[in-house]
Structures are given as C-alpha cells and as structure tokens.
Amino acid sequence: MLRDIVQRFSGKSAELVEGARTADCPGAACDPDPLLARLSRMSGMILADAPLQEIYAAILRAIADDCGAELVALRIAKPGGDVFEMKAEFGLESALPNVHRSFPVSRDTLLGLCARGERFGPGFAVGMHEMEGERENPVPPGVAWRGEKIFIVRIEENGQPAGFFTVGFFDGVPGAHAASVLKCFADQVLLVLQKDRARELLREKERLLAVCREELDSVNQLKTNFLSVVSHELRTPLTSVKAYTETLLDNADSIKRETLQDFLRVMDEETERLIKLVDNILNFSRMETGHLKVEKVSCNLNRMIEEAHGALQQKFLSAGVNAEIKLPRHPCRIDADRELIAQLLQNLMSNAVKFTPRGGRVTVTLEEEAAAARIIVQDTGKGIPEDQLEKIFERFYQVDTSNTREYGGSGLGLAICKNIVDWHDGKIWVENVKDSGAKFVVLLPMKDIIVRQAASAGPIGSRRFERERYLMLLVEMLAEFLQARKASIMLLEKDQQVLRVLAAKGLDLEFVQNTRLEVGDRIAGKVVQTGEPLHVFDIESESEYGRANNALFYGTHSFISAPLKDGDEIVGVLNVSDHIEGREFSRADRELLEALGGIIAGMLKKLDAYEKVSANFERLKDAMRAILDVREAWGSRHLIDLTLIALTMGKRLDLDERSLTALRLGMNLYDLGLMRIPRNIRVKREELSPKERAVLREHPNIGFALTSPMGLEDRIMRMVRSHHEHFDGTGYPDGLAGDEIPIEARIVSVVDTLRALMSEGPYRRIYSLEEARAEIARGAGTLFDPRVVKVFASALEALGARDEKHELILDTFEKELEQERNERKRKLDALQRETAKEAVR
Amino acid sequence: MKKGKILVVDDEVNITQILEFSIGSEGFEVLTAQNGEEAIEKARREQPDLIILDIMMPKIDGYEACRILKANPLTKNIPVVLLTAKGRDIDKRLGMEVGATDYIVKPFSPNKLVERIHQLLSCHK
C-alpha cells in the first residue's frame, strides 16, 4: 500500500526535505508545514522568473516528496494541443531504467486513458491492464511495473488539457491529500505556462515592433526621395509653362503669329506632361498604400497587347522605332485586372521605345506556359548596366543618375510595373541581350492550383501551409512538364480503396474536395485497376471516354492518365488534360507522364518522411523551385525541343528504355544548379573573372546537392553532376574521361552546348544553328564523344532542325503529331469496320 | 550694338528657346548649349559675358561644369548664374562653393532673370 511506498522512500524524502530546508532557511526557525514551505518557494521562483526547467524540477520533487510517489513526469502540450511532450521527470531513471525518457503522448491516448481510468479527485487512477491495452502506451512494453495504479492529473486550461502529470505508483487509489497536492501543483504549472506564453507574446510583439520601425524608416526614406523627385519633376514642366506664359503676356501685342503658335504648343505639351506625372504619382501612391482595388476578370492577353500597341502607335511613329508583335495562335487568357495590365503593357512598351534609337525595333512576345503567361518586351537600345539590372524597379531609381535628364520620366514607370506585377503575384525582371538592348520579362501566373483540405486535423499551422506549398509545387511541375492547363494528382486511400484528388490545377474547388472514385470506376479508376496508362488522343472519336463519362476531363479533347507507381505498387493516378497549345497529347507526352509517375510517387513518400524534419522538407522544396526556375528561364517549349533532340540521339545510340526514361526526366533537371548561381554571373555579357568562373563551375555540384533529397535514379543524378565533363578528361567537376562519363551525360553535354551557343552567354555573340553545329563538330574527340556528336548531327537532320532568327525550330514535331493523328484514325476506322461486320453477322 | 553675350545652358530645349527669346528681345546676343560639355566648349570659344547654367543635366551636371569653368583661366572670370529645380539651402551652398555668382530657382520669371542679368553685368564691369 501507499504507506509501504512512503516508507520505502522515506529515507530519500527526508534527505530532500533536509536539502530544501538548508537551502531555503539558513536560520534555525523553519516553517512547520513543509508543503507550505515548498509552495511559497515555488511562488518565489515563479515571481523571480526562474528558468522553466528549474521550476518544473522543483515542482516534481515537491510532488514526489509530498505524495510519496516513486515517479513523477510532466508533459506539456505542443502548440496545437495534439501531442504532449515530456518536459520534466523525477525518479524515472531509477524506477524505469532503460526507458527512452522523452517519448511523446498523443491527445487521443491521454483522453483514452482518462476515459478508462477511475475518476478520483482531480485525476484519474489508471490500472496497469488499461495501460497495456493502449496502442500508444505511455510506457513501452516490456517494462516491469512495481505498483498497481498510475495516477494521471490533467492540467486544464479552458476545459482543454494543456498538460498532465503522470504519478506512480500506487497500489490502490492515492489518498485525498495526494490528490489535493497534485491539483495545487497543476494550477502552479498552469500559472507558469501562462506566464511563459505571455512573455513569448511580448517578445513576438517586440519583434513585430522592430519590423514596423524598420518599415517606418524606409517609408520615411521613400518620402524624402519622393519629395525630391516631385520637386524636380514637377518644377521642370512648370518652369516652361511659367516662362512661356509670362513672355506671352509681356509681348501680347508685338508677338508674331508663328511664335505665338509655337509658344502655345510648348505650353500645351508641358501641361500634358504635368498631367501624366500627377496621374502616375497618384496611381503609384494608391498602390503603395494598398488602397488599390484589383478587380480580376478574364483577360485576353493577345488582344490586350494589340491594344497597347495601337495606343502607342503615334509614339512608335514619332520615335522612328519599329514594333514587332509576336503572339501565340490561340488566345492566352489569365485572370487579372484589365486596367492594371493595360498600364503595365503600355509602361513597358513606351519605356522600350524611349530607350531605342531611331531605326531600332521593339519586340513584344507573348508565350503561354502551363503555370504562367510570359510577356517579353525587348528593345534594341544600349541595354542596362549590369549592376543596375535589379535596381531599376526600385522607386525613383533613375532620379539620381543622369537618365532622367536624358530620357525624361519620373522614375516611377517601372516601379509601377513592379507593383502591378506584385499585385498579380507575378514576377518581373530585366536582362540584357547581347549586342542589342534590354529584355523585360513578365510572368503572370494562372493561379488555379488547389490542394484538397483533409477533413480530419492533419498537420497543424505553418506545417500544413508548408505541405500545401509543396503539393502546389508538385502540381505546378506536373502541369509545366506536360504543358497542360489541367493537371491533378489522385491518391488511393488504402483502407477504402477509394481514389481522391490530392491536389489539382485548373479544376473546380468542389470537384477537388468531393470526388471519390472507386477502383475500376471511370478513367482514373480504370488506370488504377489495370496499372496501365490511358491516353485519349481525341475524345470525339474515342467515345468510350466521352465527356459525360468523367468530369475531370470536362471540356477537353485529349488527355492522359498514368498510374503513380511506388515500385510495383500503384498508389494513385496522375491526370493531365487540355494542352496549352490546344493540340493533342502525343506519345512522347505519355512517356514523359509515365516517367514522372515514378518520381512523383517517390516525392510524395518523401513528403511524409520529410515532413517531420523541416530542414529536409525545405531542401526538397528548394529542388522543386529550381526545377521550375530552369523552365522559367529557358521556356518550357525550348526544353521540350531539346529533350526531343536528346531522346532521338539516345534512340540512335540504342540506349535501353531505362536510359531513355532517365534522359527524358534528366533533360528537365540537369541544369537546376545553374539557377542558384547569382544572376549577374549567369547572364553577364563581359568575360568572367577567374573568381566568377570558379563560382559558375560550382553549378553541377550545387545541382547534385539540390536533387539529392529527391531520391532520383542514379542515372539522372549523374546527368546533373557530369554534364560538364569533357571526353578528354579536361572538364569538371570530377575530370572524368571517355566511358567514365555516363552516356546520358555525354548526350546532355552536347545538347546543352547547343542550347548555350544559341542563347546569351558571357563574352560571345549568339550562334546560328549552323555555326553551333560546326562548333560542336570541332569538339568531337576533345570535348565530346565523337559517336555522340555523330548521332547529334543525324538527329538534327532527322528532326528537321532549322533556325529562325536564332531560334531553334524542329519541323518533325508537328509532322509526328500529324502522323500520330492519322495512325489513330486508321485504327479507329478499322475497328468500326470490324464492329459493323459483326453487327451484320 | 549688342549689350552683351549670354550663354544659356539647359537640356530642356523649351527652356533654352524661351530664354533665347526673352533675353534676346532685351538686346543681348544669346548662345545656347544642351549639356555641360557643350557649355564648357562654347564658353571657352565664345567668351560670353555671363552664363546661365542648369544643374540637372546628363553627363556633366551644372555643378561639375561650373567647377571646370572656374578652374580654367580662360573662363574663370565669367559670372555664372545657376538655374535649378532644387530649392534646398544645401543646393544653394553647393552652388556658391563651386564658384557660382548667383542662383535662381525654377520655376522663375523671365523678367526677373533679365533684371538680374542687367544687375550682374553692370556690377561686373
């Protein structure tokens, strides 16, 4: 019984009491009630803000002493209240040796134990057999119990457990005294917790305050800049107006008619300039202060670019600058504020005109990518000094340079552009084009990615947000790779054998939340059942999968569904539909989707494992961002063409299916390390310094490190690492030579050289396809594997590669698609004839 | 007989044009320049009696041009009136430091500018 335990531990208790006395009461006169002494000591510690750990330790010791407990543990809820973590324990080491001390207890376990326990005073007496019945036993199996009962006392805050004491061991239920002592200490712990939380809140507030102060400082700086700009920019046209008016007044009688007209024209122009400036300032201040109302409607960017061009026609004419507008065949639509986008386009285009000399050209290009619309405004002016590429979007930037005086303007135009793009969650940057001016690039996202919210409480708070961000990146990647307007990842829920959408792009929220497909049901269900991908080339002619059959593909005419495979196990389905170019998905697309199935299954598995360690999680997301960055920088379409060249080469080299799959994926990943190299080195026009070159040469290693948490196949990893090795061993990073360099990397090395030569690079002009081909041929045997160079030439030939204004065009791409169309049609016709015959019979 | 030769320097053509008109109609010979380099060149070659010099200009700004003019024995005695949209005290002081004789803030009255030219030229002679 309890008394025995007390006796067993009386020696120890006496020691402790003695210790406490000598520590607290150096004098002889001591408090007669030890409990009271302990409580007052505790209050003292709490008041004096002693470290939490010390307070907890003192509380546990006091409980052990006063209740005669062998073991006392304190667990406190982590933020969110789902898991209780061990904060302090007393006697655990001697009572239960070899027990991992800090195992957490879930909320469900705690509630279960209490429900089964016997209510006693403030707590619950739980029998040993109850403990053993728990799956998440607070004490691991194999531990010998000396007592019969363990006592659990919850520390409650607003009716919810904020923590609990585990006190052991008792042969029966603990006495009333022990119960009230525990209740008393539970309150003390709650007090400590609340105080700690308040302190943390205060600290958080202080941090916020510091951030606010910083922001205020920068706003102040902005105000100063603003005043100086306004004073200069407003005064200049005002000066003209004032001077001309006064002169006119003085000479009203004598002035000649032409002079009068000339003067009035100047006054009119300068007044116009003032009006524009005031408009700009007002607009800008609305954006800066967040008072702007952004009304997003569906915008046809093709039309808006044409309209902006129309509005600026006069400006182009009088500046003697030609305009070239390149739009995709199909209209590209995004959800955006029409007025703001119109202003963005006009600002960028008139800015380009301003900096282009007479006879030059401004080219506006619109490209649609799966996740974003890309607008490029390129001029043939003198470009922007490399060190200012990132600064020119700052407000009033041009003011302190001589630019204002040379080109006019408030220095607000680009800052307004940046603001507009920010309001649309897009990106804007500028780069120099070799030998010809600046290139402004705007990416406006078509943001319609939804991650399904699980009904039960999943991961909490910021972690859930992180998880969502990650899944969004995955879907974005899927859509980007396949150039699909709609894409979704569906997972098989193990217990119910039901497919549910995990995350999707371009689909209705309701559909994402509520869709449940059984195995064998509809398209996705069939794919899970058979384990084979389903590729519908044209839904009109393949009526078995008619529109009514699957809402997932509503409004589409071509789609692919491929299984998500974790090894041999099917864990879900990937779906893509609606190619952004409005074309059918090809065989090559299907093969890519199948290959992605493997990667994405692996990454989802990692997600669960990595979620517990945020550092890993962060690294995985970094890798995904880098993958998307490469596509952003090079353009998805360009990558598809390069991949096609690499695959054709691979086939001509008789590579096996696994190698081809590695190439297919690796071509999309190999240069992601490059995206972590500072932009000013990556796109520098002048020759690189030795130090800069060393930084640049790090990129295969960086890429390798970035991709390593993704758990990719070795062949792909080696493409990332070894695509800058030279055949003669003079390359980097490992100085491999000949066959030591994996064949996939040798192929990438050639294709990447083609890409690099035909685009911007340090200290050289852009090569034409012919020049690039000749340059690569010269490298056969030294830089490149001669065999690979040979198939490279024949692959270009076979693909009908040609060069249109330094842009690579592959003729076969369309041809192959056409061929596939015909093939499908033939098959279908045959099938119809067959069924017709059968019907006759 | 012209009263004197005035060099007007501003990158805004509208400004040089109106000053050419109003100063010219007072009987002065008016030369114009669009930037600092051109101003230094013309001042050396034409030896004007007074220079009206804008501060915010591309390449060589007004302060710099003034400093160069004052450093050259050929042009150092020509009075310089700075013309600027900046109206802060520090800008005035900076103007005086580089050797400017006077300072006029934009927007200005052409009549008052002409008056000032008369005054400065009579003092100077």
Side-chain angles (χ1 to χ4, degrees):
Chain A
M1 298 304 285
L2 189 58
R3 195 170 300 122
D4 302 335
I5 298 172
V6 175
Q7 272 165 3
R8 209 186 317 156
F9 279 85
S10 59
K12 199 172 182 185
S13 301
E15 244 176 66
L16 286 170
V17 173
E18 199 49 48
R21 273 190 194 135
T22 40
D24 292 338
C25 326
C30 279
D31 200 309
D33 186 343
L35 178 62
L36 216 56
R38 288 193 192 99
L39 272 174
S40 98
R41 197 165 83 98
M42 222 64 71
S43 309
M45 283 174 86
I46 295 170
L47 279 175
D49 282 336
L52 279 188
Q53 221 39 54
E54 277 178 30
I55 299 178
Y56 288 154
I59 288 177
L60 295 197
R61 215 164 68 175
I63 292 173
D65 274 358
D66 224 90
C67 304
E70 209 173 319
L71 167 156
V72 190
L74 170 65
R75 286 186 175 82
I76 302 286
K78 286 177 35 168
D82 285 350
V83 177
F84 298 87
E85 264 182 340
M86 178 80 90
K87 289 291 177 195
E89 46 88 5
F90 178 84
L92 197 60
E93 185 67 41
S94 53
L96 301 169
N98 309 321
V99 173
H100 176 48
R101 287 163 164 237
S102 55
F103 56 90
V105 172
S106 78
R107 184 189 152 92
D108 291 344
T109 305
L110 171 69
L111 295 181
L113 280 174
C114 293
R116 280 190 288 277
E118 177 190 348
R119 175 114 216 174
F120 185 83
F124 300 86
V126 182
M128 284 310 117
H129 55 284
E130 295 290 356
M131 309 289 269
E132 276 143 25
E134 269 304 324
R135 260 173 63 185
E136 268 180 283
N137 201 324
V139 174
V143 170
W145 292 92
R146 273 182 271 180
E148 279 294 313
K149 296 238 177 207
I150 202 149
F151 199 49
I152 290 176
V153 177
R154 301 208 300 225
I155 299 161
E156 304 235 342
E157 188 177 23
N158 304 325
Q160 292 298 319
F164 66 93
F165 289 119
T166 321
V167 191
F169 307 101
F170 302 98
D171 292 337
V173 290
H177 174 74
S180 62
V181 166
L182 278 165
K183 172 81 183 95
C184 171
F185 281 115
D187 289 346
Q188 295 267 3
V189 170
L190 189 59
L191 216 63
V192 172
L193 275 180
Q194 282 173 342
K195 198 172 175 195
D196 187 52
R197 223 177 291 143
R199 200 162 30 212
E200 192 47 50
L201 207 66
L202 205 65
R203 247 178 258 139
E204 184 55 35
K205 286 264 155 69
E206 269 170 15
R207 266 196 296 277
L208 272 177
L209 216 60
V211 172
C212 278
R213 196 164 44 229
E214 245 166 60
E215 256 169 39
L216 263 178
D217 284 349
S218 78
V219 168
N220 230 343
Q221 185 57 41
L222 171 69
K223 196 192 76 191
T224 312
N225 282 353
F226 186 76
L227 284 178
S228 121
V229 170
V230 165
S231 97
H232 180 264
E233 285 307 310
L234 292 179
R235 274 165 201 258
T236 303
L238 268 178
T239 304
S240 287
V241 173
K242 163 81 182 155
Y244 279 81
T245 319
E246 194 183 297
T247 310
L248 270 184
L249 277 174
D250 285 356
N251 301 279
D253 301 331
S254 60
I255 206 152
K256 277 186 278 178
R257 196 169 171 77
E258 306 96 82
T259 320
L260 176 69
Q261 260 175 352
D262 190 32
F263 280 18
L264 286 174
R265 185 189 47 79
V266 171
M267 287 162 70
D268 185 50
E269 277 172 13
E270 294 296 295
T271 314
E272 196 59 40
R273 185 167 154 189
L274 258 181
I275 293 172
K276 276 220 176 98
L277 194 65
V278 171
D279 274 352
N280 257 354
I281 292 170
L282 289 181
N283 239 333
F284 181 72
S285 86
R286 267 201 294 271
M287 285 185 202
E288 283 283 309
T289 49
H291 287 305
L292 192 76
K293 241 170 113 186
V294 179
E295 280 179 37
K296 289 195 180 172
V297 293
S298 171
C299 297
N300 178 338
L301 282 180
N302 294 47
R303 191 174 309 147
M304 291 192 69
I305 288 177
E306 279 167 351
E307 280 169 3
H309 176 222
L312 294 170
Q313 200 119 45
Q314 199 50 48
K315 202 162 197 165
F316 274 97
L317 276 177
S318 60
V321 172
N322 298 311
E324 189 181 348
I325 311 286
K326 293 184 187 168
L327 303 173
R329 267 171 296 168
H330 52 282
C332 168
R333 276 175 222 282
I334 61 164
D335 283 344
D337 185 297
R338 201 167 283 157
E339 252 174 65
L340 290 179
I341 298 297
Q343 195 185 359
L344 167 76
L345 292 170
Q346 287 206 18
N347 277 9
L348 285 178
M349 284 161 80
S350 63
N351 193 58
V353 174
K354 205 157 69 185
F355 289 93
T356 304
R358 198 160 275 280
R361 190 179 54 237
V362 170
T363 313
V364 183
T365 315
L366 172 64
E367 286 167 5
E368 186 178 338
E369 286 162 25
R374 175 192 295 252
I375 303 165
I376 303 164
V377 179
Q378 189 173 339
D379 60 52
T380 55
K382 62 179 184 186
I384 292 156
E386 297 287 334
D387 58 333
Q388 292 178 24
L389 283 174
E390 303 195 359
K391 289 191 203 147
I392 62 165
F393 295 103
E394 288 170 20
R395 336 158 160 105
F396 313 120
Y397 180 69
Q398 65 162 227
V399 148
D400 290 331
T401 71
S402 57
N403 282 349
T404 320
R405 306 289 71 226
E406 207 167 336
Y407 298 106
S410 58
L412 279 176
L414 287 176
I416 289 177
C417 288
K418 172 105 172 68
N419 259 314
I420 293 176
V421 173
D422 283 350
W423 275 96
H424 287 89
D425 298 317
K427 271 190 195 167
I428 183 169
W429 72 89
V430 63
E431 48 197 64
N432 283 315
V433 180
K434 190 100 180 160
D435 303 327
S436 65
K439 174 170 157 187
F440 284 82
V441 186
V442 174
L443 281 179
L444 293 171
M446 300 187 242
K447 223 170 114 191
D448 47 0
I449 297 174
I450 307 169
V451 174
R452 185 170 61 84
Q453 302 292 337
S456 61
I460 39 161
S462 67
R463 183 113 338 152
R464 173 147 67 204
F465 175 74
E466 294 285 292
R467 183 187 166 91
E468 268 174 33
R469 238 347 267 154
Y470 177 80
L471 290 172
M472 285 171 87
L473 279 169
L474 261 185
V475 172
E476 206 175 324
M477 186 173 92
L478 177 63
E480 268 297 336
F481 273 39
L482 271 302
Q483 300 273 284
R485 282 211 178 90
K486 292 178 187 162
S488 59
I489 302 174
M490 297 184 90
L491 279 190
L492 195 58
E493 290 186 352
K494 286 275 159 42
D495 318 337
Q496 302 140 13
Q497 289 290 296
V498 164
L499 267 176
R500 301 208 61 183
V501 182
L502 179 68
K505 174 189 160 64
L507 298 178
D508 287 346
L509 174 65
E510 206 219 351
F511 181 83
V512 172
Q513 280 302 352
N514 301 332
T515 298
R516 292 164 165 273
L517 288 180
E518 285 182 18
V519 173
D521 203 8
R522 304 207 170 159
I523 291 158
K526 282 203 183 76
V527 169
V528 170
Q529 194 173 38
T530 60
E532 292 298 322
L534 234 167
H535 176 192
V536 167
F537 195 73
D538 180 7
I539 211 159
E540 297 295 343
S541 56
E542 293 164 61
S543 54
E544 189 191 340
Y545 306 108
R547 289 182 182 165
N549 206 354
N550 204 332
L552 197 61
F553 302 110
Y554 184 77
T556 194
H557 81 285
S558 177
F559 64 79
I560 322 174
S561 282
L564 259 176
K565 280 186 184 168
D566 177 15
D568 286 333
E569 190 194 358
I570 294 170
V571 294
V573 181
L574 297 180
N575 303 298
V576 291
S577 58
D578 264 17
H579 197 282
I580 57 169
E581 285 168 17
R583 68 163 171 85
E584 299 90 342
F585 287 98
S586 66
R587 190 180 304 144
D589 293 328
R590 192 198 68 218
E591 286 163 352
L592 178 61
L593 188 67
E594 278 185 88
L596 274 176
I599 286 202
I600 291 182
M603 290 179 84
L604 285 173
K605 213 161 95 182
K606 289 258 187 290
L607 173 64
D608 293 331
Y610 280 2
E611 214 164 17
K612 301 193 178 78
V613 186
S614 359
N616 280 338
F617 202 39
E618 217 34 66
R619 282 171 59 203
L620 209 49
K621 279 198 300 178
D622 256 0
M624 309 266 301
R625 281 195 202 99
I627 293 172
L628 288 166
D629 283 350
V630 173
R631 304 189 79 85
E632 210 170 280
W634 294 353
S636 277
R637 183 56 212 259
H638 198 51
L639 262 171
I640 290 173
D641 288 342
L642 293 172
T643 307
L644 195 58
I645 296 175
L647 281 171
T648 311
M649 290 165 70
K651 282 178 194 154
R652 278 162 193 255
L653 287 166
D654 289 327
L655 297 192
D656 61 11
E657 201 44 52
R658 271 188 67 195
S659 277
L660 291 178
T661 303
L663 263 181
R664 199 169 277 132
L665 292 171
M667 277 302 296
N668 287 292
L669 307 169
Y670 74 88
D671 233 0
L672 78 178
L674 195 61
M675 297 299 129
R676 291 294 178 270
I677 303 294
R679 192 184 184 82
N680 55 6
I681 295 182
R682 207 171 1 120
V683 299
K684 192 174 174 181
R685 288 204 281 188
E686 292 80 32
E687 194 169 12
L688 296 177
S689 71
K691 203 172 155 198
E692 285 170 329
R693 200 166 316 123
V695 172
L696 188 64
R697 285 168 69 119
E698 266 305 295
H699 83 264
N701 284 329
I702 295 173
F704 192 78
L706 265 172
T707 38
S708 59
M710 290 170 67
L712 295 172
E713 203 203 340
D714 188 47
R715 289 175 208 228
I716 301 177
M717 295 302 290
R718 294 179 68 187
M719 284 166 74
V720 175
R721 189 178 177 89
S722 305
H723 69 275
H724 278 288
E725 298 291 357
H726 292 162
F727 197 62
D728 60 6
T730 58
Y732 59 92
D734 302 311
L736 304 179
D739 287 347
E740 287 171 352
I741 312 166
I743 182 68
E744 297 88 357
R746 275 179 271 158
I747 293 175
V748 172
S749 154
V750 169
V751 180
D752 183 56
T753 307
L754 173 74
R755 179 202 63 77
L757 288 175
M758 287 187 72
S759 52
E760 278 297 297
Y763 209 55
R764 59 166 168 70
R765 65 199 164 73
I766 299 177
Y767 283 55
S768 71
L769 176 62
E770 252 344 286
E771 290 166 325
R773 201 199 298 231
E775 184 70 30
I776 288 169
R778 259 195 295 284
T782 51
L783 303 180
F784 313 117
D785 181 348
R787 226 160 44 99
V788 172
V789 173
K790 214 163 148 192
V791 294
F792 171 67
S794 72
L796 287 185
E797 200 72 43
L799 291 169
R802 64 195 164 81
D803 162 337
E804 214 169 78
K805 290 178 191 155
H806 295 294
E807 227 164 277
L808 183 68
I809 311 271
L810 298 181
D811 273 342
T812 39
F813 195 73
E814 278 296 317
K815 274 191 213 147
E816 263 187 20
L817 208 61
E818 193 53 48
Q819 211 179 333
E820 213 167 314
R821 271 184 208 128
N822 292 334
E823 217 172 277
R824 289 254 171 183
K825 200 165 175 309
R826 268 202 305 281
K827 255 191 218 159
L828 252 137
D829 287 349
L831 199 73
Q832 262 170 11
R833 275 198 300 277
E834 203 65 28
T835 30
K837 267 188 215 158
E838 257 172 42
V840 170
R841 256 180 243 149
Chain B
M1 170 65 197
K2 293 275 179 190
K3 288 184 191 168
K5 213 193 268 184
I6 315 286
L7 174 60
V8 177
V9 191
D10 198 312
D11 60 320
E12 290 273 328
V13 183
N14 288 336
I15 303 286
T16 51
Q17 178 185 297
I18 195 67
L19 289 182
E20 200 174 358
F21 183 92
S22 51
I23 301 173
S25 62
E26 285 291 312
F28 292 99
E29 183 187 346
V30 183
L31 308 166
T32 62
Q34 306 299 328
N35 58 56
E37 273 171 14
E38 197 187 339
I40 292 161
E41 221 276 310
K42 278 207 171 143
R44 212 160 35 203
R45 204 177 54 214
E46 302 280 345
Q47 293 290 307
D49 297 298
L50 187 132
I51 300 172
I52 311 233
L53 185 59
D54 182 39
I55 290 178
M56 294 279 274
M57 287 186 298
K59 291 172 195 153
I60 300 180
D61 71 6
Y63 294 129
E64 187 59 29
C66 190
R67 197 174 296 135
I68 294 170
L69 287 169
K70 291 298 168 188
N72 186 337
L74 276 177
T75 52
K76 72 171 187 198
N77 289 323
I78 307 173
V80 173
V81 176
L82 288 177
L83 204 54
T84 181
K86 292 184 176 177
R88 294 174 302 178
D89 282 347
I90 178 148
D91 299 320
K92 286 188 193 173
R93 236 181 301 137
L94 202 58
M96 296 304 136
E97 268 170 32
V98 295
T101 313
D102 208 342
Y103 186 99
I104 289 179
V105 177
K106 286 178 175 181
F108 59 89
S109 148
N111 285 334
K112 294 220 173 91
L113 178 66
V114 171
E115 260 173 49
R116 194 76 62 89
I117 293 172
H118 278 300
Q119 274 172 15
L120 284 170
L121 285 185
S122 60
C123 288
H124 209 68
K125 269 165 188 167

